[in-house]
Amino acid sequence: MGTSADKLATLDIVLNGLMRRYKERVPDVRTILDAMVSDGIVKSTADIENDHIAFRTMGVPQLGVKSFEKIFLHYGYEKRDHYFFEGKKLDAWWYSPPRETDPRIFVSELRVGDLSEESQRIIRSYTDEVATDPVDSLDLDNGEAVDAFLHQPLWRTPIVADYQSLLKESEYAAWVIYNRYYLNHFTISVHNLPEGYNTVAAFNDFLEKHGIKLNTSGGKIKVSPDGGLLQSSTVAEMLDAEFANGEKLRISGSYVEFAERKVLPWFTNLPAGEIQRKHRRDGFEAGNADKIFESTYTTQTGRN
């Protein structure tokens, strides 16, 4: 193995596995995709462009972005800009894909050392079980093995008390201690959809008509300062989660995001049929992402 064609075939296995399990876990995905087909927005769900997918990690030895990114760098992704979220104590990077048809990847990492001693102690009591970087022993040319790895626990199932303690200080920490590398969200590109659905504002109307609840943090539409990137997202689904000792708790799972990338000013004279991904605003925006993170936060999931 090892040719770029082989690597891309493996990447397809990994991406398909992520999406399959994510759809099973997040009922909103199926609701939205089915409605897009039944309302005639797309002929089939295969026509929907996935703008990006996102993962959350713990910034501790053996784990975090420096471990996680090895998987996607192997398949030809390239590391791009860094973002810092001071209030949420996070770092993040995005990765551009090997093919224009692949999603960008956004990986964030909790700055564990910036948390209180008690939260650090709780997190490390779990993550210390990971003694070596788990990606180093993974066969990255085996798509099924990588898919399985992204859905398997790296540490023991947490107890409810630890989850609730972390939740008070960092909702992100609580999410990761339970959900680990589960796909945090996937993102529908709306700008390539037909007229009437090809802006975030119009697509939000379609979603709300179908009973989908949107994240209101920073407004339903988050807009980058340059006006080139508009985003919205659903509120995360609540899951009946099973914790250690058989305890159960309803917790926040994953969500769906929507992105509209405007054509860059110097390409606006291109005919619509010629516009490709490279002609649109790329990358991300810290201010937008900061609010999108809150799709899993109790301030959003607790709204009626």
Side-chain angles (χ1 to χ4, degrees):
M1 283 290 275
T3 70
S4 60
D6 288 338
K7 286 187 172 171
L8 292 173
T10 308
L11 174 61
D12 285 336
I13 294 169
V14 174
L15 292 173
N16 290 336
L18 282 163
M19 285 304 296
R20 188 183 75 248
R21 299 184 209 229
Y22 167 74
K23 284 175 185 169
E24 287 165 6
R25 207 161 175 258
V26 188
D28 270 354
V29 178
R30 178 59 47 216
T31 304
I32 293 164
L33 298 182
D34 287 351
M36 288 177 75
V37 174
S38 62
D39 284 25
I41 302 175
V42 289
K43 285 196 175 66
S44 98
T45 55
D47 299 335
I48 295 168
E49 183 190 342
N50 185 351
D51 182 271
H52 69 273
I53 56 177
F55 299 90
R56 296 179 173 187
T57 71
M58 291 290 196
V60 293
Q62 320 300 354
L63 295 169
V65 168
K66 65 183 183 301
S67 162
F68 188 87
E69 70 181 7
K70 292 174 188 172
I71 296 172
F72 290 99
L73 293 174
H74 180 78
Y75 303 128
Y77 274 82
E78 290 181 24
K79 192 171 192 174
R80 305 293 289 271
D81 309 299
H82 166 255
Y83 304 93
F84 171 51
F85 302 91
E86 188 176 11
K88 292 181 172 64
K89 302 183 168 74
L90 305 172
D91 286 302
W93 288 264
W94 79 276
Y95 300 78
S96 56
R99 298 170 288 197
E100 195 163 87
T101 49
D102 294 320
R104 300 164 185 84
I105 290 179
F106 187 87
V107 187
S108 53
E109 171 183 292
L110 181 65
R111 296 166 66 100
V112 174
D114 291 358
L115 299 180
S116 67
E117 298 222 341
E118 175 61 5
S119 289
Q120 289 189 53
R121 184 195 64 74
I122 291 171
I123 290 168
R124 293 211 160 93
S125 78
Y126 292 94
T127 59
D128 283 354
E129 294 176 13
V130 184
T132 57
D133 184 333
V135 177
D136 289 345
S137 54
L138 194 56
D139 177 3
L140 296 175
D141 293 321
N142 180 338
E144 285 82 7
V146 175
D147 176 36
F149 169 75
L150 292 171
H151 297 92
Q152 76 192 24
L154 296 165
W155 49 76
R156 70 188 185 281
T157 304
I159 59 170
V160 166
D162 285 345
Y163 175 88
Q164 288 176 323
S165 177
L166 289 177
L167 195 67
K168 289 194 189 84
E169 182 177 1
S170 166
E171 297 215 20
Y172 182 104
W175 195 93
V176 181
I177 208 73
Y178 189 87
N179 292 289
R180 307 175 305 272
Y181 288 153
Y182 269 118
L183 196 58
N184 179 256
H185 64 269
F186 106 111
T187 308
I188 294 174
S189 292
V190 301
H191 43 257
N192 292 330
L193 296 173
E195 197 73 41
Y197 298 98
N198 60 354
T199 65
V200 164
F203 202 78
N204 280 356
D205 290 343
F206 155 77
L207 293 167
E208 294 191 313
K209 185 182 88 182
H210 284 280
I212 299 291
K213 190 161 105 176
L214 296 173
N215 168 344
T216 57
S217 178
K220 285 178 185 172
I221 302 176
K222 293 72 164 121
V223 186
S224 61
D226 63 7
L229 176 62
L230 293 82
Q231 291 161 279
S232 69
S233 60
T234 68
V235 171
E237 305 263 347
M238 296 301 284
L239 306 172
D240 288 314
E242 185 149 332
F243 284 78
N245 314 322
E247 296 177 289
K248 288 191 172 59
L249 190 67
R250 276 182 75 69
I251 68 164
S252 175
S254 301
Y255 57 96
V256 187
E257 191 187 315
F258 315 95
E260 174 189 349
R261 294 178 182 275
K262 301 272 195 201
V263 175
L264 293 163
W266 45 96
F267 294 125
T268 45
N269 56 352
L270 277 180
E274 289 178 26
I275 292 169
Q276 298 170 7
R277 188 182 271 200
K278 66 185 177 201
H279 299 128
R280 295 183 182 275
R281 162 72 150 82
D282 207 4
F284 292 86
E285 187 58 51
N288 289 17
D290 187 67
K291 304 298 185 221
I292 298 274
F293 277 123
E294 293 178 26
S295 292
T296 63
Y297 285 26
T298 49
T299 48
Q300 292 296 319
T301 58
R303 281 172 36 231
N304 291 326

